[in-house]
Amino acid sequence: MAAGGEAQPGVAQDESKMAHLAEEAEEAEEEEEAAEEEEEEEEEAEEAAPVARAGQEKYDEAELDRDQDMLQQACLPVSGAPLPPGDEPPKDADEYLRQVQWERMHVPEVVDVEVEEKPSRRRRRQGTDKCSMLLAHFKEPEVPEELGFCSEWATDVAEAFQLMRSRCKDVRRQAAASAAAASKAPLQLGRDAWHEQCSQGRPSTALLAAQDFVSINHLIVAVIDAIAEVHDSVEDGSATLASTDTAETVGVHSERLGRLVEWAFAALAFVDTPLIDEIQYQLQRLRRTCQKLILAEQPGDGSSGSVAGDSSFRAKANLLVVIVTKVFGQW
């Protein structure tokens, strides 16, 4: 500022420029805000356009239906509160609908219904006494006490068999070492070969010790299949054979079963543990078959007319049952 309060020319020009720039900035901001408002309005209009078109189309369709008498009006309007039903029939549709409303309001949500239980009907095969259900094959036979075994004997059998298994394990280990030294592979027989072995001779320690894991499992399956076949033959023959032929047939079955029990005993002495699923199933099958053979019906006086009448076989069958249940835990 100059003396006397007069402004200098340069300073006045700067102030006017600053004011002009400020005005231009405000105008630019106003223009930007106006442009943003226009864009927002356009977006809102675009979003509202489908709704407006849908409303217009709906209105046009309703108007068209009304013009063509296609728009249905409300039928049978109900006037009045729900009406409880009386002794006389309803006078008109309105009274009927009011009674329906009253009944709907008083119907309980939970209804107790008495259902008559009917006895189940068991289907049986014609001409046979066998149950047709598959689960009948797994039914647990109940062995009476006089045909079974005592707990003390079962404990002694289990302990003695465990000791025998430990010795068989040592023999098998020695046989494997000898075979490895001689560069020989362990023997492996299939089920058919074991069937022949079981039918021709008796088991031996040397033969079983030379077998591998798979071969011993094949032996168990083969011998249990053979025992089951004998059981089926006993059941079928007991109903068809004459009394004169029964003794001879039972003698053949007893001899064959005695030999098969020896093979089963030897195979269980050499089987590896833990048992695989297939062997577990086979041992459970062996237990059921032995119990059924023990319970086989005895014709006549029951002394020697069936396999079950042979006390020596009952002892062998109970021996296998104890080994399967007490030693291997397969019930």
Side-chain angles (χ1 to χ4, degrees), residues 134-184:
L134 178 61
L135 293 179
H137 297 283
F138 299 93
K139 185 178 180 180
E140 297 294 335
E142 296 181 1
V143 179
E145 185 177 356
E146 60 272 13
L147 298 179
F149 50 85
C150 62
S151 58
E152 294 80 5
W153 179 78
T155 302
D156 294 340
V157 168
E159 293 178 356
F161 190 76
Q162 289 283 21
L163 180 60
M164 180 180 293
R165 276 182 53 82
S166 63
R167 294 178 179 176
C168 292
K169 188 175 182 180
D170 295 337
V171 173
R172 194 174 180 184
R173 188 182 300 109
Q174 294 174 3
S178 301
S183 301
K184 294 182 180 180

mmCIF file of all heavy atoms in Angstrom, residues 134-184:
data_model
loop_
_atom_site.group_PDB
_atom_site.id
_atom_site.type_symbol
_atom_site.label_atom_id
_atom_site.label_comp_id
_atom_site.label_asym_id
_atom_site.label_seq_id
_atom_site.Cartn_x
_atom_site.Cartn_y
_atom_site.Cartn_z
ATOM 1 N N LEU A 134 -33.068 -115.237 4.411
ATOM 2 C CA LEU A 134 -31.617 -115.391 4.403
ATOM 3 C C LEU A 134 -31.042 -115.366 5.808
ATOM 4 O O LEU A 134 -30.070 -116.062 6.107
ATOM 5 C CB LEU A 134 -30.996 -114.269 3.563
ATOM 6 C CG LEU A 134 -29.465 -114.249 3.470
ATOM 7 C CD1 LEU A 134 -28.968 -115.534 2.816
ATOM 8 C CD2 LEU A 134 -28.995 -113.037 2.696
ATOM 9 N N LEU A 135 -31.654 -114.600 6.701
ATOM 10 C CA LEU A 135 -31.124 -114.497 8.059
ATOM 11 C C LEU A 135 -31.256 -115.798 8.837
ATOM 12 O O LEU A 135 -30.630 -115.958 9.883
ATOM 13 C CB LEU A 135 -31.845 -113.374 8.816
ATOM 14 C CG LEU A 135 -31.592 -111.961 8.306
ATOM 15 C CD1 LEU A 135 -32.384 -110.955 9.127
ATOM 16 C CD2 LEU A 135 -30.112 -111.623 8.363
ATOM 17 N N ALA A 136 -32.073 -116.717 8.330
ATOM 18 C CA ALA A 136 -32.199 -117.996 9.027
ATOM 19 C C ALA A 136 -30.890 -118.770 9.019
ATOM 20 O O ALA A 136 -30.630 -119.583 9.908
ATOM 21 C CB ALA A 136 -33.304 -118.833 8.392
ATOM 22 N N HIS A 137 -30.041 -118.519 8.015
ATOM 23 C CA HIS A 137 -28.755 -119.208 7.949
ATOM 24 C C HIS A 137 -27.810 -118.733 9.045
ATOM 25 O O HIS A 137 -26.825 -119.400 9.351
ATOM 26 C CB HIS A 137 -28.113 -118.985 6.577
ATOM 27 C CG HIS A 137 -28.917 -119.567 5.453
ATOM 28 N ND1 HIS A 137 -28.940 -120.911 5.162
ATOM 29 C CD2 HIS A 137 -29.751 -118.979 4.552
ATOM 30 C CE1 HIS A 137 -29.729 -121.133 4.127
ATOM 31 N NE2 HIS A 137 -30.234 -119.973 3.736
ATOM 32 N N PHE A 138 -28.073 -117.565 9.619
ATOM 33 C CA PHE A 138 -27.209 -117.019 10.656
ATOM 34 C C PHE A 138 -27.847 -117.132 12.042
ATOM 35 O O PHE A 138 -27.383 -116.511 12.985
ATOM 36 C CB PHE A 138 -26.893 -115.551 10.356
ATOM 37 C CG PHE A 138 -26.180 -115.350 9.051
ATOM 38 C CD1 PHE A 138 -26.893 -115.081 7.893
ATOM 39 C CD2 PHE A 138 -24.810 -115.449 8.969
ATOM 40 C CE1 PHE A 138 -26.245 -114.906 6.684
ATOM 41 C CE2 PHE A 138 -24.150 -115.275 7.769
ATOM 42 C CZ PHE A 138 -24.871 -115.004 6.626
ATOM 43 N N LYS A 139 -28.913 -117.896 12.147
ATOM 44 C CA LYS A 139 -29.570 -118.057 13.433
ATOM 45 C C LYS A 139 -28.666 -118.824 14.382
ATOM 46 O O LYS A 139 -28.075 -119.833 14.021
ATOM 47 C CB LYS A 139 -30.900 -118.787 13.245
ATOM 48 C CG LYS A 139 -31.710 -118.883 14.523
ATOM 49 C CD LYS A 139 -33.031 -119.576 14.266
ATOM 50 C CE LYS A 139 -33.851 -119.674 15.540
ATOM 51 N NZ LYS A 139 -35.141 -120.360 15.302
ATOM 52 N N GLU A 140 -28.553 -118.339 15.606
ATOM 53 C CA GLU A 140 -27.664 -118.949 16.584
ATOM 54 C C GLU A 140 -28.338 -120.173 17.206
ATOM 55 O O GLU A 140 -29.357 -120.046 17.892
ATOM 56 C CB GLU A 140 -27.312 -117.929 17.674
ATOM 57 C CG GLU A 140 -26.555 -116.722 17.162
ATOM 58 C CD GLU A 140 -25.177 -117.091 16.653
ATOM 59 O OE1 GLU A 140 -24.636 -118.115 17.117
ATOM 60 O OE2 GLU A 140 -24.647 -116.371 15.797
ATOM 61 N N PRO A 141 -27.798 -121.365 16.978
ATOM 62 C CA PRO A 141 -28.381 -122.552 17.620
ATOM 63 C C PRO A 141 -28.024 -122.588 19.100
ATOM 64 O O PRO A 141 -26.914 -122.228 19.496
ATOM 65 C CB PRO A 141 -27.736 -123.715 16.855
ATOM 66 C CG PRO A 141 -26.449 -123.163 16.340
ATOM 67 C CD PRO A 141 -26.683 -121.705 16.080
ATOM 68 N N GLU A 142 -28.956 -123.019 19.903
ATOM 69 C CA GLU A 142 -28.736 -123.126 21.344
ATOM 70 C C GLU A 142 -28.408 -124.579 21.687
ATOM 71 O O GLU A 142 -29.230 -125.475 21.501
ATOM 72 C CB GLU A 142 -29.975 -122.658 22.102
ATOM 73 C CG GLU A 142 -30.297 -121.180 21.886
ATOM 74 C CD GLU A 142 -31.512 -120.750 22.680
ATOM 75 O OE1 GLU A 142 -32.073 -121.616 23.395
ATOM 76 O OE2 GLU A 142 -31.895 -119.577 22.584
ATOM 77 N N VAL A 143 -27.209 -124.791 22.182
ATOM 78 C CA VAL A 143 -26.761 -126.138 22.543
ATOM 79 C C VAL A 143 -27.119 -126.385 24.001
ATOM 80 O O VAL A 143 -26.737 -125.595 24.875
ATOM 81 C CB VAL A 143 -25.241 -126.280 22.321
ATOM 82 C CG1 VAL A 143 -24.773 -127.674 22.723
ATOM 83 C CG2 VAL A 143 -24.890 -125.994 20.874
ATOM 84 N N PRO A 144 -27.852 -127.451 24.300
ATOM 85 C CA PRO A 144 -28.180 -127.735 25.708
ATOM 86 C C PRO A 144 -26.929 -128.060 26.510
ATOM 87 O O PRO A 144 -25.882 -128.426 25.972
ATOM 88 C CB PRO A 144 -29.133 -128.934 25.613
ATOM 89 C CG PRO A 144 -28.875 -129.538 24.281
ATOM 90 C CD PRO A 144 -28.453 -128.425 23.378
ATOM 91 N N GLU A 145 -27.066 -127.925 27.807
ATOM 92 C CA GLU A 145 -25.906 -128.086 28.690
ATOM 93 C C GLU A 145 -25.323 -129.491 28.620
ATOM 94 O O GLU A 145 -24.102 -129.672 28.680
ATOM 95 C CB GLU A 145 -26.324 -127.753 30.124
ATOM 96 C CG GLU A 145 -25.176 -127.767 31.115
ATOM 97 C CD GLU A 145 -25.619 -127.355 32.500
ATOM 98 O OE1 GLU A 145 -26.808 -126.986 32.645
ATOM 99 O OE2 GLU A 145 -24.790 -127.406 33.426
ATOM 100 N N GLU A 146 -26.175 -130.502 28.476
ATOM 101 C CA GLU A 146 -25.669 -131.873 28.455
ATOM 102 C C GLU A 146 -24.879 -132.187 27.188
ATOM 103 O O GLU A 146 -24.102 -133.149 27.159
ATOM 104 C CB GLU A 146 -26.826 -132.869 28.587
ATOM 105 C CG GLU A 146 -27.865 -132.785 27.482
ATOM 106 C CD GLU A 146 -28.964 -131.780 27.800
ATOM 107 O OE1 GLU A 146 -28.776 -130.982 28.749
ATOM 108 O OE2 GLU A 146 -29.998 -131.805 27.118
ATOM 109 N N LEU A 147 -25.059 -131.399 26.129
ATOM 110 C CA LEU A 147 -24.303 -131.609 24.890
ATOM 111 C C LEU A 147 -23.155 -130.616 24.736
ATOM 112 O O LEU A 147 -22.386 -130.725 23.778
ATOM 113 C CB LEU A 147 -25.226 -131.494 23.674
ATOM 114 C CG LEU A 147 -26.366 -132.503 23.571
ATOM 115 C CD1 LEU A 147 -27.199 -132.248 22.326
ATOM 116 C CD2 LEU A 147 -25.826 -133.928 23.570
ATOM 117 N N GLY A 148 -23.051 -129.667 25.634
ATOM 118 C CA GLY A 148 -22.019 -128.649 25.520
ATOM 119 C C GLY A 148 -20.772 -128.994 26.310
ATOM 120 O O GLY A 148 -20.383 -130.160 26.432
ATOM 121 N N PHE A 149 -20.137 -127.967 26.871
ATOM 122 C CA PHE A 149 -18.887 -128.155 27.607
ATOM 123 C C PHE A 149 -18.895 -127.222 28.810
ATOM 124 O O PHE A 149 -19.616 -126.217 28.844
ATOM 125 C CB PHE A 149 -17.675 -127.854 26.716
ATOM 126 C CG PHE A 149 -17.767 -126.531 25.997
ATOM 127 C CD1 PHE A 149 -17.372 -125.354 26.613
ATOM 128 C CD2 PHE A 149 -18.268 -126.464 24.705
ATOM 129 C CE1 PHE A 149 -17.460 -124.144 25.962
ATOM 130 C CE2 PHE A 149 -18.360 -125.252 24.040
ATOM 131 C CZ PHE A 149 -17.956 -124.088 24.672
ATOM 132 N N CYS A 150 -18.074 -127.547 29.779
ATOM 133 C CA CYS A 150 -17.980 -126.719 30.981
ATOM 134 C C CYS A 150 -16.911 -125.650 30.785
ATOM 135 O O CYS A 150 -16.017 -125.773 29.944
ATOM 136 C CB CYS A 150 -17.663 -127.575 32.201
ATOM 137 S SG CYS A 150 -16.073 -128.429 32.114
ATOM 138 N N SER A 151 -16.987 -124.605 31.570
ATOM 139 C CA SER A 151 -16.067 -123.474 31.428
ATOM 140 C C SER A 151 -14.635 -123.853 31.801
ATOM 141 O O SER A 151 -13.676 -123.352 31.205
ATOM 142 C CB SER A 151 -16.551 -122.308 32.297
ATOM 143 O OG SER A 151 -16.636 -122.704 33.658
ATOM 144 N N GLU A 152 -14.460 -124.738 32.796
ATOM 145 C CA GLU A 152 -13.107 -125.140 33.186
ATOM 146 C C GLU A 152 -12.402 -125.878 32.046
ATOM 147 O O GLU A 152 -11.219 -125.626 31.766
ATOM 148 C CB GLU A 152 -13.158 -126.034 34.431
ATOM 149 C CG GLU A 152 -13.642 -125.330 35.697
ATOM 150 C CD GLU A 152 -15.152 -125.216 35.749
ATOM 151 O OE1 GLU A 152 -15.813 -125.772 34.846
ATOM 152 O OE2 GLU A 152 -15.665 -124.585 36.684
ATOM 153 N N TRP A 153 -13.130 -126.774 31.399
ATOM 154 C CA TRP A 153 -12.540 -127.496 30.263
ATOM 155 C C TRP A 153 -12.205 -126.543 29.126
ATOM 156 O O TRP A 153 -11.149 -126.663 28.488
ATOM 157 C CB TRP A 153 -13.521 -128.566 29.791
ATOM 158 C CG TRP A 153 -13.034 -129.365 28.619
ATOM 159 C CD1 TRP A 153 -12.133 -130.385 28.635
ATOM 160 C CD2 TRP A 153 -13.432 -129.194 27.253
ATOM 161 N NE1 TRP A 153 -11.933 -130.877 27.366
ATOM 162 C CE2 TRP A 153 -12.721 -130.167 26.488
ATOM 163 C CE3 TRP A 153 -14.306 -128.344 26.600
ATOM 164 C CZ2 TRP A 153 -12.871 -130.289 25.112
ATOM 165 C CZ3 TRP A 153 -14.459 -128.471 25.228
ATOM 166 C CH2 TRP A 153 -13.747 -129.429 24.491
ATOM 167 N N ALA A 154 -13.074 -125.570 28.872
ATOM 168 C CA ALA A 154 -12.823 -124.606 27.804
ATOM 169 C C ALA A 154 -11.580 -123.773 28.096
ATOM 170 O O ALA A 154 -10.779 -123.487 27.189
ATOM 171 C CB ALA A 154 -14.042 -123.697 27.628
ATOM 172 N N THR A 155 -11.377 -123.403 29.357
ATOM 173 C CA THR A 155 -10.182 -122.627 29.716
ATOM 174 C C THR A 155 -8.913 -123.437 29.495
ATOM 175 O O THR A 155 -7.915 -122.933 28.951
ATOM 176 C CB THR A 155 -10.281 -122.173 31.176
ATOM 177 O OG1 THR A 155 -11.467 -121.403 31.353
ATOM 178 C CG2 THR A 155 -9.077 -121.334 31.561
ATOM 179 N N ASP A 156 -8.932 -124.705 29.896
ATOM 180 C CA ASP A 156 -7.755 -125.562 29.698
ATOM 181 C C ASP A 156 -7.464 -125.761 28.209
ATOM 182 O O ASP A 156 -6.299 -125.739 27.782
ATOM 183 C CB ASP A 156 -7.983 -126.916 30.370
ATOM 184 C CG ASP A 156 -8.062 -126.796 31.883
ATOM 185 O OD1 ASP A 156 -7.582 -125.773 32.417
ATOM 186 O OD2 ASP A 156 -8.618 -127.713 32.526
ATOM 187 N N VAL A 157 -8.517 -125.946 27.419
ATOM 188 C CA VAL A 157 -8.327 -126.136 25.977
ATOM 189 C C VAL A 157 -7.717 -124.890 25.346
ATOM 190 O O VAL A 157 -6.786 -124.975 24.530
ATOM 191 C CB VAL A 157 -9.672 -126.481 25.307
ATOM 192 C CG1 VAL A 157 -9.564 -126.390 23.792
ATOM 193 C CG2 VAL A 157 -10.122 -127.879 25.710
ATOM 194 N N ALA A 158 -8.209 -123.715 25.719
ATOM 195 C CA ALA A 158 -7.697 -122.475 25.135
ATOM 196 C C ALA A 158 -6.227 -122.264 25.492
ATOM 197 O O ALA A 158 -5.413 -121.880 24.632
ATOM 198 C CB ALA A 158 -8.541 -121.295 25.615
ATOM 199 N N GLU A 159 -5.853 -122.527 26.738
ATOM 200 C CA GLU A 159 -4.453 -122.354 27.135
ATOM 201 C C GLU A 159 -3.541 -123.348 26.411
ATOM 202 O O GLU A 159 -2.454 -122.976 25.938
ATOM 203 C CB GLU A 159 -4.334 -122.524 28.648
ATOM 204 C CG GLU A 159 -5.016 -121.414 29.443
ATOM 205 C CD GLU A 159 -4.926 -121.649 30.937
ATOM 206 O OE1 GLU A 159 -4.402 -122.722 31.330
ATOM 207 O OE2 GLU A 159 -5.369 -120.779 31.712
ATOM 208 N N ALA A 160 -3.969 -124.596 26.320
ATOM 209 C CA ALA A 160 -3.146 -125.599 25.637
ATOM 210 C C ALA A 160 -3.003 -125.279 24.154
ATOM 211 O O ALA A 160 -1.918 -125.448 23.567
ATOM 212 C CB ALA A 160 -3.767 -126.986 25.827
ATOM 213 N N PHE A 161 -4.071 -124.789 23.543
ATOM 214 C CA PHE A 161 -3.998 -124.479 22.114
ATOM 215 C C PHE A 161 -3.107 -123.261 21.862
ATOM 216 O O PHE A 161 -2.392 -123.210 20.853
ATOM 217 C CB PHE A 161 -5.406 -124.234 21.567
ATOM 218 C CG PHE A 161 -5.466 -124.148 20.071
ATOM 219 C CD1 PHE A 161 -5.377 -125.289 19.295
ATOM 220 C CD2 PHE A 161 -5.589 -122.921 19.431
ATOM 221 C CE1 PHE A 161 -5.422 -125.218 17.914
ATOM 222 C CE2 PHE A 161 -5.635 -122.842 18.057
ATOM 223 C CZ PHE A 161 -5.550 -123.990 17.290
ATOM 224 N N GLN A 162 -3.130 -122.291 22.756
ATOM 225 C CA GLN A 162 -2.240 -121.143 22.609
ATOM 226 C C GLN A 162 -0.782 -121.584 22.687
ATOM 227 O O GLN A 162 0.071 -121.094 21.930
ATOM 228 C CB GLN A 162 -2.540 -120.104 23.703
ATOM 229 C CG GLN A 162 -3.861 -119.367 23.528
ATOM 230 C CD GLN A 162 -3.793 -118.288 22.455
ATOM 231 O OE1 GLN A 162 -2.927 -118.304 21.579
ATOM 232 N NE2 GLN A 162 -4.718 -117.343 22.519
ATOM 233 N N LEU A 163 -0.480 -122.502 23.589
ATOM 234 C CA LEU A 163 0.881 -123.024 23.683
ATOM 235 C C LEU A 163 1.268 -123.777 22.413
ATOM 236 O O LEU A 163 2.396 -123.635 21.901
ATOM 237 C CB LEU A 163 0.994 -123.938 24.906
ATOM 238 C CG LEU A 163 2.362 -124.579 25.156
ATOM 239 C CD1 LEU A 163 3.427 -123.514 25.367
ATOM 240 C CD2 LEU A 163 2.297 -125.523 26.358
ATOM 241 N N MET A 164 0.337 -124.549 21.869
ATOM 242 C CA MET A 164 0.608 -125.261 20.624
ATOM 243 C C MET A 164 0.845 -124.290 19.475
ATOM 244 O O MET A 164 1.722 -124.515 18.622
ATOM 245 C CB MET A 164 -0.554 -126.207 20.305
ATOM 246 C CG MET A 164 -0.369 -126.991 19.017
ATOM 247 S SD MET A 164 -1.756 -128.081 18.679
ATOM 248 C CE MET A 164 -1.578 -129.233 20.029
ATOM 249 N N ARG A 165 0.093 -123.208 19.422
ATOM 250 C CA ARG A 165 0.277 -122.221 18.353
ATOM 251 C C ARG A 165 1.660 -121.575 18.427
ATOM 252 O O ARG A 165 2.287 -121.307 17.391
ATOM 253 C CB ARG A 165 -0.811 -121.136 18.442
ATOM 254 C CG ARG A 165 -2.114 -121.527 17.764
ATOM 255 C CD ARG A 165 -3.136 -120.401 17.842
ATOM 256 N NE ARG A 165 -2.620 -119.135 17.349
ATOM 257 C CZ ARG A 165 -2.555 -118.787 16.055
ATOM 258 N NH1 ARG A 165 -2.973 -119.646 15.130
ATOM 259 N NH2 ARG A 165 -2.083 -117.615 15.697
ATOM 260 N N SER A 166 2.138 -121.318 19.634
ATOM 261 C CA SER A 166 3.477 -120.732 19.758
ATOM 262 C C SER A 166 4.548 -121.698 19.256
ATOM 263 O O SER A 166 5.516 -121.287 18.598
ATOM 264 C CB SER A 166 3.734 -120.344 21.215
ATOM 265 O OG SER A 166 3.715 -121.496 22.049
ATOM 266 N N ARG A 167 4.379 -122.989 19.525
ATOM 267 C CA ARG A 167 5.343 -123.974 19.027
ATOM 268 C C ARG A 167 5.254 -124.109 17.506
ATOM 269 O O ARG A 167 6.284 -124.225 16.821
ATOM 270 C CB ARG A 167 5.089 -125.322 19.695
ATOM 271 C CG ARG A 167 5.367 -125.322 21.197
ATOM 272 C CD ARG A 167 5.061 -126.672 21.820
ATOM 273 N NE ARG A 167 5.358 -126.678 23.255
ATOM 274 C CZ ARG A 167 5.118 -127.711 24.060
ATOM 275 N NH1 ARG A 167 4.592 -128.833 23.563
ATOM 276 N NH2 ARG A 167 5.409 -127.634 25.346
ATOM 277 N N CYS A 168 4.038 -124.086 16.980
ATOM 278 C CA CYS A 168 3.882 -124.152 15.517
ATOM 279 C C CYS A 168 4.491 -122.929 14.841
ATOM 280 O O CYS A 168 5.043 -123.021 13.733
ATOM 281 C CB CYS A 168 2.405 -124.273 15.161
ATOM 282 S SG CYS A 168 1.653 -125.845 15.633
ATOM 283 N N LYS A 169 4.421 -121.795 15.509
ATOM 284 C CA LYS A 169 5.027 -120.588 14.959
ATOM 285 C C LYS A 169 6.541 -120.732 14.875
ATOM 286 O O LYS A 169 7.170 -120.319 13.887
ATOM 287 C CB LYS A 169 4.644 -119.391 15.829
ATOM 288 C CG LYS A 169 5.043 -118.053 15.261
ATOM 289 C CD LYS A 169 4.518 -116.921 16.131
ATOM 290 C CE LYS A 169 4.880 -115.568 15.534
ATOM 291 N NZ LYS A 169 4.365 -114.450 16.380
ATOM 292 N N ASP A 170 7.146 -121.334 15.903
ATOM 293 C CA ASP A 170 8.594 -121.562 15.867
ATOM 294 C C ASP A 170 8.966 -122.543 14.754
ATOM 295 O O ASP A 170 9.960 -122.339 14.034
ATOM 296 C CB ASP A 170 9.065 -122.098 17.220
ATOM 297 C CG ASP A 170 8.878 -121.075 18.338
ATOM 298 O OD1 ASP A 170 8.815 -119.871 18.015
ATOM 299 O OD2 ASP A 170 8.778 -121.492 19.509
ATOM 300 N N VAL A 171 8.181 -123.601 14.614
ATOM 301 C CA VAL A 171 8.460 -124.577 13.554
ATOM 302 C C VAL A 171 8.338 -123.928 12.184
ATOM 303 O O VAL A 171 9.162 -124.169 11.282
ATOM 304 C CB VAL A 171 7.504 -125.778 13.679
ATOM 305 C CG1 VAL A 171 7.660 -126.720 12.492
ATOM 306 C CG2 VAL A 171 7.759 -126.526 14.981
ATOM 307 N N ARG A 172 7.363 -123.100 12.024
ATOM 308 C CA ARG A 172 7.167 -122.432 10.736
ATOM 309 C C ARG A 172 8.301 -121.452 10.446
ATOM 310 O O ARG A 172 8.739 -121.314 9.298
ATOM 311 C CB ARG A 172 5.824 -121.701 10.750
ATOM 312 C CG ARG A 172 5.348 -121.245 9.390
ATOM 313 C CD ARG A 172 3.956 -120.664 9.508
ATOM 314 N NE ARG A 172 3.452 -120.212 8.233
ATOM 315 C CZ ARG A 172 2.289 -119.586 8.078
ATOM 316 N NH1 ARG A 172 1.516 -119.370 9.137
ATOM 317 N NH2 ARG A 172 1.900 -119.196 6.878
ATOM 318 N N ARG A 173 8.802 -120.786 11.483
ATOM 319 C CA ARG A 173 9.916 -119.862 11.293
ATOM 320 C C ARG A 173 11.176 -120.625 10.878
ATOM 321 O O ARG A 173 11.921 -120.179 9.997
ATOM 322 C CB ARG A 173 10.162 -119.082 12.584
ATOM 323 C CG ARG A 173 11.185 -117.963 12.431
ATOM 324 C CD ARG A 173 11.450 -117.250 13.736
ATOM 325 N NE ARG A 173 10.246 -116.636 14.278
ATOM 326 C CZ ARG A 173 9.596 -117.063 15.349
ATOM 327 N NH1 ARG A 173 10.034 -118.134 16.005
ATOM 328 N NH2 ARG A 173 8.524 -116.436 15.786
ATOM 329 N N GLN A 174 11.401 -121.772 11.483
ATOM 330 C CA GLN A 174 12.560 -122.585 11.107
ATOM 331 C C GLN A 174 12.429 -123.106 9.675
ATOM 332 O O GLN A 174 13.407 -123.127 8.922
ATOM 333 C CB GLN A 174 12.706 -123.755 12.081
ATOM 334 C CG GLN A 174 13.040 -123.334 13.506
ATOM 335 C CD GLN A 174 13.043 -124.503 14.467
ATOM 336 O OE1 GLN A 174 12.851 -125.654 14.059
ATOM 337 N NE2 GLN A 174 13.265 -124.216 15.752
ATOM 338 N N ALA A 175 11.219 -123.498 9.297
ATOM 339 C CA ALA A 175 11.016 -123.988 7.931
ATOM 340 C C ALA A 175 11.239 -122.872 6.917
ATOM 341 O O ALA A 175 11.811 -123.099 5.838
ATOM 342 C CB ALA A 175 9.609 -124.557 7.794
ATOM 343 N N ALA A 176 10.809 -121.652 7.250
ATOM 344 C CA ALA A 176 11.026 -120.528 6.339
ATOM 345 C C ALA A 176 12.507 -120.210 6.200
ATOM 346 O O ALA A 176 12.995 -119.896 5.103
ATOM 347 C CB ALA A 176 10.260 -119.307 6.842
ATOM 348 N N ALA A 177 13.258 -120.303 7.318
ATOM 349 C CA ALA A 177 14.699 -120.049 7.246
ATOM 350 C C ALA A 177 15.400 -121.112 6.406
ATOM 351 O O ALA A 177 16.298 -120.799 5.602
ATOM 352 C CB ALA A 177 15.276 -120.008 8.659
ATOM 353 N N SER A 178 14.994 -122.360 6.561
ATOM 354 C CA SER A 178 15.607 -123.429 5.765
ATOM 355 C C SER A 178 15.293 -123.259 4.282
ATOM 356 O O SER A 178 16.157 -123.466 3.415
ATOM 357 C CB SER A 178 15.113 -124.792 6.255
ATOM 358 O OG SER A 178 15.440 -124.983 7.622
ATOM 359 N N ALA A 179 14.042 -122.864 3.977
ATOM 360 C CA ALA A 179 13.674 -122.655 2.578
ATOM 361 C C ALA A 179 14.435 -121.482 1.978
ATOM 362 O O ALA A 179 14.859 -121.521 0.814
ATOM 363 C CB ALA A 179 12.168 -122.422 2.469
ATOM 364 N N ALA A 180 14.644 -120.421 2.777
ATOM 365 C CA ALA A 180 15.394 -119.275 2.271
ATOM 366 C C ALA A 180 16.854 -119.637 2.029
ATOM 367 O O ALA A 180 17.470 -119.178 1.053
ATOM 368 C CB ALA A 180 15.284 -118.114 3.259
ATOM 369 N N ALA A 181 17.420 -120.463 2.912
ATOM 370 C CA ALA A 181 18.812 -120.879 2.715
ATOM 371 C C ALA A 181 18.960 -121.733 1.465
ATOM 372 O O ALA A 181 19.989 -121.676 0.778
ATOM 373 C CB ALA A 181 19.297 -121.643 3.945
ATOM 374 N N ALA A 182 17.935 -122.511 1.167
ATOM 375 C CA ALA A 182 17.976 -123.357 -0.030
ATOM 376 C C ALA A 182 17.408 -122.655 -1.256
ATOM 377 O O ALA A 182 17.243 -123.299 -2.305
ATOM 378 C CB ALA A 182 17.211 -124.649 0.226
ATOM 379 N N SER A 183 17.100 -121.359 -1.116
ATOM 380 C CA SER A 183 16.535 -120.566 -2.224
ATOM 381 C C SER A 183 15.235 -121.175 -2.744
ATOM 382 O O SER A 183 14.985 -121.242 -3.949
ATOM 383 C CB SER A 183 17.549 -120.430 -3.369
ATOM 384 O OG SER A 183 18.725 -119.799 -2.920
ATOM 385 N N LYS A 184 14.408 -121.621 -1.811
ATOM 386 C CA LYS A 184 13.113 -122.181 -2.175
ATOM 387 C C LYS A 184 12.007 -121.258 -1.669
ATOM 388 O O LYS A 184 12.073 -120.752 -0.547
ATOM 389 C CB LYS A 184 12.930 -123.575 -1.566
ATOM 390 C CG LYS A 184 13.881 -124.626 -2.122
ATOM 391 C CD LYS A 184 13.589 -125.973 -1.494
ATOM 392 C CE LYS A 184 14.520 -127.048 -2.034
ATOM 393 N NZ LYS A 184 14.244 -128.374 -1.411
#
